[in-house]
Amino acid sequence: MAESKSLRIAYGEALAELGAENDKIVVLDADLSNATMTNRFSAVYPDRFFDVGIAEGCAASMAAGMAKQGAVPVFAVYSTFLQRSYDMLLHDIAIDGLHVVLAVDRAGLVGDDGETHHGVFDVAYLNSVPGVTVYSPSNFTELDRMLEAAVCRC
């Protein structure tokens, strides 16, 4: 019987593959690398991985600084905790038109994670940030293509 794979695992694998193709990619995570699967990237590229702890706003600002220096930051974050970064998304990233990829996990109703982890406001507030494109893959092929498009700005 074949083992089933989740979109999270596919994301972690695809991110590590993109890291092999582009050494400008850096990954930021907010203390959830085992859940967001950025641990796959950090295992191969530890010098390009930054775990900021529970400091999502700081991660967004850090990603902006990295983008200004020519890196391509990918910030993996739970949907509900990205809300903490709204001001930084506007003032640190959007105003300067910086290339930062937000890899949002746990969007929508998330069952056992509880009501504090339901990410139901993403589309509403992210669509208010200038220059943001929201992708929502529904299968592995879309995930690979959308992640590559976001990282490469294709």
Side-chain angles (χ1 to χ4, degrees):
M1 182 173 165
E3 183 181 338
S4 65
K5 182 162 78 169
S6 71
L7 279 176
R8 288 184 314 123
I9 291 171
Y11 162 74
E13 292 171 354
L15 189 59
E17 288 173 17
L18 286 171
E21 297 170 13
N22 184 345
D23 63 359
K24 291 186 178 195
I25 296 172
V26 295
V27 174
L28 298 95
D29 200 290
D31 198 34
L32 293 164
S33 64
N34 290 332
T36 62
M37 304 313 285
T38 57
N39 58 356
R40 307 270 174 131
F41 187 93
S42 69
V44 184
Y45 310 105
D47 293 342
R48 293 171 25 206
F49 177 79
F50 304 89
D51 188 332
V52 301
I54 304 172
E56 293 83 358
C58 292
S61 290
M62 187 173 167
M66 292 171 151
K68 277 193 169 203
Q69 297 302 312
V72 179
V74 178
F75 175 28
V77 59
Y78 275 19
S79 165
T80 190
F81 304 138
L82 181 60
Q83 296 172 63
R84 298 173 180 164
S85 305
Y86 184 71
D87 189 51
M88 292 74 171
L89 296 176
L90 287 171
H91 294 281
D92 297 346
I93 297 171
I95 285 177
D96 285 336
L98 298 174
H99 181 196
V100 173
V101 176
L102 305 171
V104 182
D105 195 351
R106 302 295 199 285
L109 301 177
V110 293
D112 291 340
D113 282 348
E115 61 195 25
T116 61
H117 286 55
H118 292 321
V120 296
F121 300 109
D122 302 349
V123 173
Y125 77 85
L126 288 175
N127 277 331
S128 72
V129 179
V132 167
T133 300
V134 177
Y135 295 110
S136 182
S138 62
N139 59 49
F140 300 132
T141 301
E142 287 182 356
L143 174 76
D144 285 342
R145 289 183 181 154
M146 290 177 185
L147 182 59
E148 184 177 8
V151 168
C152 300
R153 282 191 166 174
C154 306

